[in-house]
Amino acid sequence: MGYLKSVTFTMIKPDAVKKGHIGGILDMILQNDFKILAMKWTQLSLKQAGDFYLIHKERPFYQELINFMSSAPIVVAILEKENAVIDFRKLIGNTDPAKADAGTIRKKFASSIGENAIHGSDSDENAQIESNFFFSSMERFRICNAHT
Ligand code: DAT
Ligand code: MG
């Protein structure tokens, strides 16, 4: 019998990319037993950022958020682990890095609530929606061997 695995979706945001933190963030992700199912280097247009964050359309920070998210390249990935969504939210920490626990990605790499280094899905349903926003089925690969 295999483990019951689930997926989450992540983006390494423009601030972390520009500061050179891609490697440090990916290292924390892999050290915490998340497996990569898909990954790419891309940049959102303003329209795409607006669509991705449509759920926040009425929030006062929406325009600032989509301007920021389309301002530079990002790294996007689908990650697999048991309890992926909840465990990844624990690993990234509070939305506001000032409130994030020690040992979290946002505590280590984020500078403000608006520019907070990394995204993580907030539910299994949104993990699927967000993964499908960026990746086709042809871009997803699972490591299959006795040790994973
Ligand atoms: P999270 O990214 O932790 O899921 P969220 O879904 O509430 O947080 O918000 C999405 C993003 O919007 C967040 O990563 C950064 C930005 N944001 C949230 N609250 C903000 C605020 N009060 N001021 C500026 N940007 C904010
Ligand atoms: Mg969110």
Side-chain angles (χ1 to χ4, degrees), residues 14-128:
D15 58 316
V17 168
K18 287 197 280 189
K19 286 190 259 176
H21 294 322
I22 295 171
I25 290 172
L26 289 179
D27 192 47
M28 284 181 73
I29 291 171
L30 296 172
Q31 289 295 326
N32 280 274
D33 297 328
F34 291 87
K35 306 286 185 210
I36 294 167
L37 285 193
M39 178 172 282
K40 76 172 100 184
W41 171 249
T42 188
Q43 182 165 356
L44 289 168
S45 68
L46 186 62
K47 166 82 169 72
Q48 288 168 330
D51 288 346
F52 185 88
Y53 280 111
L54 208 56
I55 194 165
H56 293 309
K57 196 170 177 38
E58 304 307 324
R59 308 279 285 276
F61 55 80
Y62 178 70
Q63 199 59 47
E64 178 191 343
L65 172 63
I66 68 175
N67 286 342
F68 166 62
M69 286 303 298
S70 59
S71 67
I74 57 177
V75 172
V76 297
I78 306 173
L79 305 173
E80 185 179 58
K81 187 182 177 296
E82 286 174 75
N83 214 23
V85 166
I86 289 170
D87 283 4
F88 196 68
R89 293 294 308 197
K90 282 186 199 148
L91 179 62
I92 70 177
N94 194 285
T95 306
D96 182 354
K99 297 180 186 155
D101 290 338
T104 62
I105 290 173
R106 281 169 167 165
K107 184 67 174 188
K108 189 162 183 193
F109 295 112
S111 47
S112 69
I113 191 168
E115 304 201 355
N116 59 8
I118 190 155
H119 169 83
S121 306
D122 62 7
S123 67
D124 290 342
E125 186 191 3
N126 283 336
Q128 293 297 336

